[in-house]
Amino acid sequence: MGLSAVPDDHVATIVTTLEMTQRPRARALPDAPLRLVRWERPAPESYRALFRRVGAPWLWFSRLVMDDAALVAIVHDPAVEVHAVLDRAGIEVGMLELDFRTGGACEIGYFALVPELAGRGLGRWFMARALALAWRGGVERVWLHTCTLDHPRALGFYRAQGFVAVRRTVETFADPRVLGVLPADVAPQVPLLARTR
């Protein structure tokens, strides 16, 4: 109980796991100037480039530090689906990763749009599309997690879409900016306390 010190070269976050155990009622799909397309067998460098674009502002780094073989083992697995969100010009502006590797469940592993699209109501369109893909035959649970490093409205957004919080944990990890995995100027909302490489 009380405060726990976090080393200057680390970051701490509260992770909330949320789930749905019933398919939500069908509702009208909001219009959006975007489209969601399946990204078959993405090349590691292309996958990481999009992962960095959507995730760097929130200190996403896990897929950036995996070697190619480990990353390919996940994103080329037949039970994992990667989708890219494209704008009207065909530019990738978001990503969705659905993981069906656990029977009866779908984990929304990654769900993000580039920060420039925040606040435009596009997240509701995106989540409606994600849930339509996730809830398929045999799926009894769709789940995801978010953390206090994500967009400040992420937790409220997921709850408004019908997810229920079921677990909370604390995660600490080496600050990817200190490690040189991400630039020192990303995620300015998270104080950088240690020197970067």
Side-chain angles (χ1 to χ4, degrees):
M1 199 159 172
L3 299 176
S4 298
V6 176
D8 286 353
D9 61 347
H10 278 63
V11 175
T13 185
I14 298 171
V15 179
T16 302
T17 301
L18 301 103
E19 69 178 13
M20 282 184 183
T21 55
Q22 292 184 349
R23 185 184 195 118
R25 285 182 307 154
R27 46 186 172 174
L29 192 64
D31 288 330
L34 306 172
R35 58 193 171 97
L36 187 64
V37 297
R38 177 83 184 264
W39 196 3
E40 299 281 354
R41 304 176 63 81
E45 60 276 4
S46 299
Y47 177 95
R48 286 192 193 100
L50 182 55
F51 185 91
R52 185 177 286 110
R53 283 183 58 217
V54 301
W58 318 115
L59 294 184
W60 289 11
F61 73 97
S62 61
R63 299 291 173 85
L64 303 178
V65 296
M66 286 182 171
D67 64 33
D68 285 356
L71 179 58
V72 164
I74 296 169
V75 300
H76 290 189
D77 189 302
V80 174
E81 294 182 7
V82 180
H83 300 262
V85 179
L86 305 179
D87 68 9
R88 286 189 173 128
I91 297 170
E92 295 166 340
V93 293
M95 72 181 304
L96 170 67
E97 193 171 302
L98 301 175
D99 187 338
F100 296 94
R101 291 179 292 179
T102 300
C106 174
E107 176 188 2
I108 299 177
Y110 292 99
F111 173 90
L113 295 170
V114 293
E116 297 84 2
L117 296 180
R120 298 186 189 180
L122 298 170
R124 286 179 291 129
W125 168 86
F126 189 18
M127 181 55 76
R129 295 297 313 233
L131 292 174
L133 293 168
W135 283 105
R136 57 182 62 171
V139 171
E140 299 173 355
R141 176 181 185 246
V142 175
W143 68 282
L144 54 78
H145 58 266
T146 187
C147 72
T148 51
L149 295 177
D150 284 338
H151 191 285
R153 293 192 303 261
L155 180 58
F157 170 79
Y158 293 132
R159 293 175 72 192
Q161 304 310 305
F163 286 92
V164 175
V166 294
R167 184 172 182 229
R168 189 170 37 234
T169 54
V170 174
E171 179 183 14
T172 60
F173 54 88
D175 191 321
R177 298 167 297 183
V178 174
L179 299 175
V181 175
L182 290 171
D185 62 348
V186 302
Q189 73 279 11
V190 181
L192 180 58
L193 301 180
R195 292 180 183 234
T196 59
R197 289 184 182 175

